[in-house]
Amino acid sequence: MYWKGWQAFLPDSAILLIDCPDRPGLVAGISEFLYRHGANILHADQHQDNELGLFFMRVEWSLDGFDLDRDAFLLHFASLASQFGMRWRLEYSNDRPAVAVFVSRYLHCLVDLLHRHQIGELSCRIALIVSNHPDAERHAAFHGIPFSLQTVRADNKADAERRQMELLDAQGIELIVLARYMQVLSPGFVGRFRSRIINVHHSFLPAFSGAKPYHAAFERGVKLIGATSHYVTEVLDEGPIIEQDVDRVSHRDQVGDLIQKGRDLERVVLSRAVRWHLQHRILSYANKTVIFD
Amino acid sequence: MYWKGWQAFLPDSAILLIDCPDRPGLVAGISEFLYRHGANILHADQHQDNELGLFFMRVEWSLDGFDLDRDAFLLHFASLASQFGMRWRLEYSNDRPAVAVFVSRYLHCLVDLLHRHQIGELSCRIALIVSNHPDAERHAAFHGIPFSLQTVRADNKADAERRQMELLDAQGIELIVLARYMQVLSPGFVGRFRSRIINVHHSFLPAFSGAKPYHAAFERGVKLIGATSHYVTEVLDEGPIIEQDVDRVSHRDQVGDLIQKGRDLERVVLSRAVRWHLQHRILSYANKTVIFD
Amino acid sequence: MYWKGWQAFLPDSAILLIDCPDRPGLVAGISEFLYRHGANILHADQHQDNELGLFFMRVEWSLDGFDLDRDAFLLHFASLASQFGMRWRLEYSNDRPAVAVFVSRYLHCLVDLLHRHQIGELSCRIALIVSNHPDAERHAAFHGIPFSLQTVRADNKADAERRQMELLDAQGIELIVLARYMQVLSPGFVGRFRSRIINVHHSFLPAFSGAKPYHAAFERGVKLIGATSHYVTEVLDEGPIIEQDVDRVSHRDQVGDLIQKGRDLERVVLSRAVRWHLQHRILSYANKTVIFD
Amino acid sequence: MYWKGWQAFLPDSAILLIDCPDRPGLVAGISEFLYRHGANILHADQHQDNELGLFFMRVEWSLDGFDLDRDAFLLHFASLASQFGMRWRLEYSNDRPAVAVFVSRYLHCLVDLLHRHQIGELSCRIALIVSNHPDAERHAAFHGIPFSLQTVRADNKADAERRQMELLDAQGIELIVLARYMQVLSPGFVGRFRSRIINVHHSFLPAFSGAKPYHAAFERGVKLIGATSHYVTEVLDEGPIIEQDVDRVSHRDQVGDLIQKGRDLERVVLSRAVRWHLQHRILSYANKTVIFD
């Protein structure tokens, strides 16, 4: 019923993500390899960091006529990859990775993600909703998604995280979305899901990091407020930024108005980050992100 | 739980909306009247169209200490209103007018409005959901809102509108929101709800009025797409514009991408229009709107 | 030749700016006073900070038919002002205050302000251009504006500021615009021109305050860059914000691209701030600004 | 003094622009060719229109170590180009094509372009300013650019265009920028400079095409105004759109305010279009543009 973006109208495709030192012959080598194996390229985008001498590429091709399956690809691509010192991954557009959404009491991001998923905007299965409050359970039930209430207190945090990890493992979760989840994850937890936890922070980072950013923005008298989606690292609010957006405010806006306007920003920047991650369009390096078009 | 904008923290208030020829002494007269009756003014905003010689005002005051109820206000304000030739209305912030949402197959605006209502962004009761498709029924049920399936065809349109009006009358509906409702309302229907039907059009009006605006925008190769909320008049897509917003697109975006990006715009411009209408912040004249701050 | 905004087509007008504790009867008192003296109000805007209990107002009226000149206004308005504890000022739209622009080596903001002035966007006389570099002199000469080269070094800063103040006094300067001026002004200098020095900072404050904000933004990997215009206070980059704007950047943008995009933002936010200041549309309190519409 | 974007810090480079039917082996062929001749690729971007089956590419490489000069490139690239049916051009980053700016009485876009050129934002020589009014002459003289006053009336238009073409030929003009030039060019003139005339239209096309767009926008009561830069074709205001931007307006903005806000939009969208054209980043097809990153 809904248009689902261009992917819906394309045959099944493979996506190759590459990250390596920039050297002459790279693109020639990769494109010759793909051509030789019958790849009909649908999209290709590359980025060069000329200062650091790094090369990044995302190439997507139709599987129709391509003569390598995953195992054969690994076998045949290995020598080229090794010659150029590539870090690389191969993804398939028809995979539907399992995603867990963590949420606290503010449900607008969760509700938004669930509806986007329902109408086909997000190429994944939402396999689990975890919350430290019961309010999200009705929404989980409406969408038929398992819900786990995990009360987190100072004195049971390690236990709670252990239980959460068991749940995540049981469901084979590949991406965790913190949809206004108000608990700070431990370094151990974060380390297990490096570049696979996306958070939304309700300010235009690096301004107003930490708690109560809308209150801080109100105090400072800014004329624009923002929201930021980013990968979670061990350092709070300092991970690689994926997307940011802003809205105009005036002296008439009180803290409550900032919070209300901010909800629209949070929804948008978080959902874009999740969609791009699931489309394998993000590479991160040097605490930044490359977002392939 | 949620902040609900500044209104949530204020005492019950009254809102006076005025529209009249601009004449000296107007503000003095109105403010003296309110002061004399104990009004503690919370917000006031006015607009003058110096070219047309028109005056518009919205003033909101706390009912705490105000010595006139609605009937007494009518009685006492009448002579001032008549002296200046005012068109005016008095509204109360704690009223919750009944709203009907009309929807077809695209449910993103409906889902968005329902969640905004649930968290307190919209000062109303959503009393009825009308659709020419069954898909919205589950969402209506989830929120406990009456749902009416009204199949509309060329040969039963008059009948369908008659049934719809009966439903609207039965529920005392004061505002109709067309949340991507794909049927054109008859002039008779529109005339009965003048300035009380809000539609969202999925283009930056007046560009791409009519059907399939995203396809038309794609054909023309624009670099920004937009959405527009407006009051419905007898002339399709030509009513007073309430709000517009845009997002950037590039040559990489296909029609499906425009539709996806557009959904976010539609949600935002429609919900702002509905919220402002319910806050009695909109006056329309000369086929335009004044949006009071 | 050029349209100069609505002010150009209106008769000479007076502008009253008021700042006081919020008390019942304020608007009634002010509007009755203006009405009694024949003021034909052209624009009025007010703001109430309900949390702090403060009231702010800007009202503009035609002098045609108004029966008080400046001296008489002072005399007659005094008792009302004193009754409500008002801080207030009276301005006239046809005044052309003297403005000094301070600039260093980046001239884009200066060139922009000079052209805006030439086509009537800024209601002022640009009476002086001060620079610690000779590059701006040609532009000053082209526009027939006095230019003063003031080399500032660590060991002559106090002297330089003393000479600058003499120049400013000699020209009767009422507003100083720091158009990418790279020297920090001393507290003594700032104190003499409180709320009358406007600076542009090339970041979205409070993010990236201090030196080299584009380099810092690049390092952090933000997806939007910004610029901020603000009144200068004794604390660097912490004065009341007047205007901010942002532009989108991507991983493809290097520091040089950020600088280039930023120039457009700097021009826009600085010129808006200057225009609004000259239209007497800004009040500052609690280290924030009220921008009257 | 000024940063000039990344190009300033790179060695001289060549840019190859390709436009052809999409066929397997294209990228492999091109990149192998470049690699074989010692090209160190600095940037590459490609676009595929999967619906129309078209392929577009821009690739830029350092000339340092590249073993083909222009003549040799033509010779050696010919067979590859012919094999894939390419339309292609080769450009060099250190070329400075001659540009003519046409202007009428509104000079803000001209002044903006001249300053951007002066600080290194535009990789060209501004070789000629043509106007049907004398006002621009002072600015031309300030920048040392030849100025030609060409009065155009209904009865001498053909003559005027003939004289203009002689001037353009004499200066070897490769790009014409219509910087708010108020005369419509004849089809013959446009045909001689296909895809080499850039115009700025002061509305968000296709809305408000034709004359007096700000007045039309005011009449319609839109909440955003826009500006559009585009290549000029024989059909007025219908050429391929290069860039668009918008700004928010409210009921308070009169026509004069729209015009003032619009000037900032016009400057930005026109200068971006000119810069991208000069960086050989634009390909047009199907009356649209591809803007390479």
Side-chain angles (χ1 to χ4, degrees):
Chain A
M1 169 172 59
Y2 263 87
W3 281 71
K4 294 178 181 179
W6 39 264
Q7 294 197 317
F9 301 100
L10 298 176
D12 286 347
S13 59
I15 296 129
L16 178 65
L17 286 159
I18 293 170
D19 166 2
C20 64
D22 192 12
R23 279 164 48 190
L26 255 171
V27 177
I30 297 163
S31 48
E32 192 279 331
F33 175 87
L34 292 173
Y35 174 53
R36 180 153 35 95
H37 290 285
N40 181 17
I41 294 175
L42 300 171
H43 297 279
D45 190 20
Q46 64 190 73
H47 174 61
Q48 291 166 260
D49 186 319
N50 291 316
E51 200 179 331
L52 299 184
L54 297 175
F55 175 87
F56 306 89
M57 189 175 201
R58 180 191 189 274
V59 56
E60 180 169 2
W61 65 91
S62 167
L63 290 175
D64 191 14
F66 190 61
D67 66 13
L68 301 175
D69 63 13
R70 183 182 282 276
D71 287 343
F73 190 95
L74 256 80
L75 196 67
H76 288 79
F77 193 64
S79 75
L80 192 69
S82 137
Q83 173 190 345
F84 285 102
M86 296 178 190
R87 293 192 301 178
W88 62 278
R89 350 193 283 262
L90 182 69
E91 307 280 357
Y92 291 96
S93 67
N94 62 355
D95 279 353
R96 290 288 176 272
V99 171
V101 182
F102 281 45
V103 68
S104 293
R105 303 186 73 181
Y106 302 126
L107 303 184
H108 52 284
C109 285
L110 173 70
V111 168
D112 183 63
L113 290 170
L114 292 174
H115 183 66
R116 289 180 196 270
H117 179 259
Q118 187 174 28
I119 65 177
E121 273 191 26
L122 306 176
S123 303
C124 66
R125 289 179 299 114
I126 299 184
L128 180 64
I129 295 172
V130 173
S131 183
N132 52 336
H133 288 278
D135 312 28
E137 185 157 19
R138 287 187 69 228
H139 295 278
F142 182 74
H143 288 271
I145 296 167
F147 175 82
S148 173
L149 181 63
Q150 296 283 340
T151 313
V152 182
R153 294 182 314 270
D155 65 346
N156 76 343
K157 181 155 178 163
D159 273 359
E161 285 201 347
R162 194 160 38 241
R163 284 194 309 275
Q164 289 169 0
M165 284 199 239
E166 286 166 13
L167 280 167
L168 298 169
D169 288 347
Q171 297 282 353
I173 298 297
E174 298 182 44
L175 174 68
I176 298 170
V177 179
L178 307 183
R180 300 296 311 275
Y181 182 63
M182 293 292 143
Q183 300 290 327
V184 176
L185 301 175
S186 74
F189 191 108
V190 170
R192 272 205 47 193
F193 289 91
R194 192 162 308 284
S195 291
R196 292 190 292 145
I197 309 175
I198 295 175
N199 183 45
V200 61
H201 183 79
H202 39 313
S203 86
F204 182 79
L205 287 176
F208 312 122
S209 59
K212 292 197 167 279
Y214 291 125
H215 291 77
F218 177 74
E219 276 308 304
R220 182 60 186 93
V222 292
K223 300 298 185 185
L224 297 168
I225 56 162
T228 303
S229 54
H230 63 93
Y231 286 118
V232 174
T233 60
E234 283 80 356
V235 191
L236 191 68
D237 299 336
E238 303 248 320
I241 291 170
I242 302 171
E243 175 63 334
Q244 304 189 289
D245 212 343
V246 294
D247 197 7
R248 194 158 279 275
V249 295
S250 84
H251 59 274
R252 288 190 177 83
D253 291 296
Q254 300 300 303
V255 172
D257 303 298
L258 269 54
I259 290 171
Q260 180 181 281
K261 289 187 172 186
R263 284 198 290 263
D264 281 336
L265 299 173
E266 296 163 25
R267 274 183 273 236
V268 163
V269 299
L270 180 59
S271 63
R272 282 184 196 151
V274 172
R275 190 167 63 241
W276 296 342
H277 180 97
L278 294 169
Q279 292 173 340
H280 315 293
R281 290 173 53 184
I282 314 179
L283 273 182
S284 54
Y285 79 103
N287 208 39
K288 301 182 189 181
T289 58
V290 171
I291 312 289
F292 291 111
D293 286 319
Chain B
M1 170 172 56
Y2 264 87
W3 280 72
K4 294 178 181 180
W6 41 263
Q7 294 197 318
F9 302 99
L10 297 176
D12 286 348
S13 59
I15 296 129
L16 179 63
L17 286 159
I18 292 170
D19 166 3
C20 64
D22 191 12
R23 278 163 47 191
L26 253 171
V27 177
I30 297 163
S31 49
E32 191 279 330
F33 175 87
L34 292 173
Y35 175 54
R36 180 154 35 95
H37 290 285
N40 182 17
I41 293 175
L42 300 171
H43 297 279
D45 189 20
Q46 64 189 74
H47 174 61
Q48 292 166 261
D49 186 321
N50 291 315
E51 199 180 333
L52 300 184
L54 297 174
F55 175 86
F56 306 90
M57 188 175 202
R58 179 190 189 275
V59 56
E60 179 169 3
W61 65 91
S62 167
L63 291 174
D64 191 14
F66 190 61
D67 66 13
L68 301 174
D69 62 14
R70 181 182 282 275
D71 288 343
F73 190 94
L74 256 80
L75 196 67
H76 288 79
F77 193 64
S79 75
L80 192 68
S82 135
Q83 173 190 346
F84 285 101
M86 295 177 191
R87 292 192 302 178
W88 63 277
R89 353 194 279 262
L90 182 69
E91 307 280 355
Y92 291 95
S93 66
N94 62 356
D95 279 353
R96 289 289 176 271
V99 171
V101 182
F102 281 45
V103 69
S104 294
R105 304 186 72 181
Y106 301 126
L107 303 184
H108 52 283
C109 285
L110 172 71
V111 168
D112 183 63
L113 289 169
L114 292 174
H115 184 66
R116 289 180 196 271
H117 178 260
Q118 187 174 28
I119 65 177
E121 272 191 28
L122 305 177
S123 303
C124 66
R125 290 179 300 114
I126 299 184
L128 181 63
I129 295 173
V130 173
S131 183
N132 51 338
H133 287 278
D135 313 26
E137 184 156 21
R138 288 188 69 227
H139 295 277
F142 183 74
H143 288 273
I145 297 167
F147 175 82
S148 173
L149 180 63
Q150 297 282 340
T151 312
V152 182
R153 294 181 314 269
D155 66 345
N156 76 344
K157 184 157 176 159
D159 274 0
E161 285 201 348
R162 192 159 40 241
R163 285 195 309 276
Q164 289 169 0
M165 283 199 240
E166 285 167 14
L167 280 167
L168 299 169
D169 288 347
Q171 297 283 352
I173 297 299
E174 298 182 43
L175 174 69
I176 298 170
V177 179
L178 307 183
R180 298 298 311 273
Y181 182 63
M182 293 291 143
Q183 299 291 328
V184 177
L185 301 175
S186 74
F189 192 109
V190 171
R192 273 208 44 195
F193 288 91
R194 190 161 308 284
S195 291
R196 291 189 295 143
I197 308 176
I198 295 176
N199 182 44
V200 61
H201 183 79
H202 40 314
S203 87
F204 183 78
L205 287 175
F208 312 122
S209 59
K212 293 198 168 278
Y214 292 125
H215 291 76
F218 177 76
E219 276 307 305
R220 182 62 187 93
V222 292
K223 298 299 186 184
L224 297 168
I225 55 161
T228 303
S229 54
H230 64 95
Y231 285 119
V232 175
T233 60
E234 283 81 356
V235 191
L236 189 68
D237 298 335
E238 302 248 321
I241 292 170
I242 303 171
E243 175 65 332
Q244 303 188 291
D245 212 341
V246 294
D247 197 5
R248 195 159 278 276
V249 295
S250 83
H251 59 275
R252 287 191 177 80
D253 291 297
Q254 300 300 303
V255 172
D257 303 297
L258 269 53
I259 290 172
Q260 181 181 280
K261 289 185 173 188
R263 284 199 290 264
D264 281 336
L265 299 172
E266 296 162 25
R267 275 183 272 237
V268 163
V269 299
L270 180 60
S271 63
R272 283 184 195 149
V274 171
R275 190 167 64 242
W276 295 342
H277 180 97
L278 293 169
Q279 292 173 341
H280 315 293
R281 290 173 54 185
I282 313 179
L283 273 181
S284 53
Y285 79 103
N287 208 39
K288 300 181 192 183
T289 58
V290 171
I291 312 289
F292 291 111
D293 288 319
Chain C
M1 170 172 55
Y2 265 87
W3 280 72
K4 294 176 181 181
W6 40 263
Q7 294 197 317
F9 302 99
L10 297 175
D12 286 347
S13 60
I15 297 129
L16 179 64
L17 286 159
I18 292 170
D19 166 2
C20 65
D22 191 11
R23 279 164 46 191
L26 254 171
V27 177
I30 296 162
S31 49
E32 191 279 328
F33 175 87
L34 291 174
Y35 175 53
R36 178 152 38 93
H37 290 286
N40 181 18
I41 293 175
L42 300 171
H43 298 280
D45 190 20
Q46 65 190 73
H47 173 61
Q48 290 166 262
D49 186 318
N50 292 315
E51 199 179 333
L52 300 183
L54 297 175
F55 175 86
F56 307 90
M57 187 175 202
R58 180 189 187 275
V59 57
E60 180 169 2
W61 64 92
S62 166
L63 290 174
D64 191 14
F66 190 62
D67 66 13
L68 301 175
D69 63 14
R70 180 181 284 276
D71 288 342
F73 190 94
L74 257 80
L75 197 66
H76 287 80
F77 193 64
S79 76
L80 191 69
S82 136
Q83 174 190 345
F84 285 102
M86 295 178 191
R87 292 192 303 177
W88 63 278
R89 353 192 280 263
L90 182 68
E91 307 280 356
Y92 291 96
S93 66
N94 61 357
D95 280 353
R96 289 288 175 274
V99 172
V101 182
F102 282 44
V103 69
S104 293
R105 302 186 73 182
Y106 301 126
L107 304 184
H108 53 284
C109 285
L110 173 70
V111 168
D112 182 63
L113 289 169
L114 292 175
H115 184 66
R116 289 180 195 272
H117 178 259
Q118 188 175 26
I119 65 176
E121 272 190 28
L122 305 176
S123 304
C124 66
R125 288 178 302 114
I126 299 184
L128 182 64
I129 295 172
V130 173
S131 183
N132 51 337
H133 287 279
D135 314 26
E137 184 157 19
R138 286 187 70 226
H139 294 278
F142 182 74
H143 288 272
I145 296 167
F147 175 82
S148 174
L149 180 64
Q150 297 283 340
T151 313
V152 182
R153 294 182 313 270
D155 66 344
N156 77 344
K157 181 153 178 167
D159 274 0
E161 285 201 345
R162 192 157 44 238
R163 283 194 310 275
Q164 289 169 358
M165 284 199 238
E166 286 167 14
L167 280 168
L168 298 169
D169 287 348
Q171 297 283 352
I173 297 298
E174 297 181 44
L175 174 68
I176 298 170
V177 180
L178 307 182
R180 298 298 310 273
Y181 182 63
M182 293 293 143
Q183 300 291 327
V184 176
L185 301 175
S186 73
F189 192 108
V190 170
R192 273 206 48 193
F193 288 90
R194 191 162 307 285
S195 291
R196 292 189 294 146
I197 309 176
I198 294 176
N199 184 44
V200 61
H201 184 79
H202 39 312
S203 87
F204 183 78
L205 287 175
F208 311 123
S209 60
K212 291 196 170 279
Y214 292 124
H215 291 76
F218 177 75
E219 276 308 304
R220 182 61 186 93
V222 292
K223 299 299 185 184
L224 296 168
I225 56 162
T228 303
S229 54
H230 63 94
Y231 285 119
V232 174
T233 61
E234 284 80 356
V235 191
L236 190 67
D237 298 335
E238 303 247 321
I241 292 170
I242 303 171
E243 175 64 334
Q244 303 188 291
D245 212 340
V246 294
D247 197 6
R248 194 159 277 275
V249 295
S250 83
H251 59 276
R252 288 192 176 82
D253 290 296
Q254 301 300 303
V255 172
D257 303 297
L258 270 53
I259 290 172
Q260 180 181 283
K261 289 186 172 186
R263 283 198 291 263
D264 281 335
L265 299 172
E266 296 163 26
R267 275 184 274 237
V268 163
V269 299
L270 180 59
S271 64
R272 283 185 196 150
V274 172
R275 190 167 63 242
W276 296 342
H277 180 97
L278 293 170
Q279 292 173 338
H280 314 294
R281 291 173 53 184
I282 314 179
L283 274 182
S284 53
Y285 80 102
N287 208 39
K288 300 181 189 181
T289 58
V290 171
I291 312 289
F292 291 111
D293 288 321
Chain D
M1 168 172 58
Y2 264 87
W3 280 72
K4 294 177 183 178
W6 40 264
Q7 295 197 317
F9 302 101
L10 298 176
D12 287 347
S13 60
I15 296 128
L16 179 64
L17 286 159
I18 291 169
D19 166 1
C20 64
D22 192 10
R23 279 164 47 191
L26 254 171
V27 177
I30 297 163
S31 49
E32 192 278 332
F33 175 87
L34 292 173
Y35 174 53
R36 180 155 35 95
H37 290 285
N40 182 18
I41 293 174
L42 301 170
H43 297 280
D45 190 18
Q46 65 190 73
H47 174 61
Q48 291 166 260
D49 187 318
N50 291 315
E51 199 179 333
L52 299 184
L54 297 174
F55 175 86
F56 306 90
M57 187 176 203
R58 180 191 188 275
V59 56
E60 180 169 2
W61 64 91
S62 167
L63 290 174
D64 192 13
F66 190 62
D67 65 13
L68 300 175
D69 62 14
R70 182 182 281 276
D71 288 343
F73 190 94
L74 256 80
L75 197 67
H76 288 79
F77 193 63
S79 74
L80 192 68
S82 136
Q83 174 189 345
F84 285 102
M86 297 178 189
R87 291 192 303 177
W88 63 278
R89 349 193 283 261
L90 181 70
E91 307 280 356
Y92 291 96
S93 67
N94 61 356
D95 279 353
R96 289 288 176 273
V99 172
V101 182
F102 281 43
V103 68
S104 292
R105 302 186 73 181
Y106 302 126
L107 303 184
H108 52 284
C109 285
L110 173 71
V111 168
D112 183 63
L113 289 170
L114 292 174
H115 184 67
R116 289 180 195 270
H117 179 258
Q118 188 174 29
I119 65 177
E121 271 190 29
L122 305 177
S123 302
C124 65
R125 288 178 302 114
I126 299 184
L128 181 63
I129 295 172
V130 174
S131 183
N132 51 338
H133 287 279
D135 312 27
E137 184 157 20
R138 286 188 70 228
H139 295 278
F142 182 74
H143 288 272
I145 296 167
F147 174 82
S148 173
L149 180 63
Q150 296 282 341
T151 313
V152 182
R153 294 182 313 269
D155 65 345
N156 77 344
K157 183 155 176 164
D159 273 0
E161 285 201 346
R162 193 158 41 238
R163 283 194 310 275
Q164 289 170 357
M165 284 199 240
E166 285 166 14
L167 280 168
L168 299 169
D169 288 348
Q171 297 284 351
I173 298 298
E174 298 181 42
L175 174 69
I176 298 170
V177 179
L178 307 183
R180 299 296 312 273
Y181 182 63
M182 292 293 144
Q183 300 290 326
V184 176
L185 301 175
S186 72
F189 192 109
V190 170
R192 272 206 48 192
F193 288 91
R194 192 161 308 285
S195 291
R196 292 189 294 145
I197 308 175
I198 295 176
N199 183 44
V200 61
H201 184 78
H202 38 313
S203 87
F204 182 78
L205 287 176
F208 311 123
S209 60
K212 291 197 170 278
Y214 292 125
H215 290 77
F218 177 75
E219 277 307 305
R220 182 60 186 91
V222 291
K223 299 299 185 184
L224 297 168
I225 56 161
T228 303
S229 54
H230 63 94
Y231 286 118
V232 174
T233 60
E234 284 80 356
V235 191
L236 191 68
D237 298 337
E238 302 248 320
I241 292 171
I242 303 171
E243 174 64 336
Q244 302 188 291
D245 213 342
V246 295
D247 197 7
R248 193 159 279 276
V249 296
S250 83
H251 59 274
R252 288 191 176 82
D253 291 296
Q254 300 300 304
V255 172
D257 302 298
L258 269 53
I259 290 172
Q260 180 181 280
K261 289 185 172 188
R263 284 198 291 263
D264 281 338
L265 299 172
E266 296 163 25
R267 273 184 275 237
V268 164
V269 299
L270 180 60
S271 64
R272 282 184 196 149
V274 172
R275 191 168 63 242
W276 296 342
H277 180 97
L278 294 169
Q279 292 173 339
H280 314 295
R281 291 173 54 185
I282 314 179
L283 274 182
S284 53
Y285 79 103
N287 208 38
K288 302 182 189 182
T289 58
V290 172
I291 312 289
F292 291 110
D293 287 321

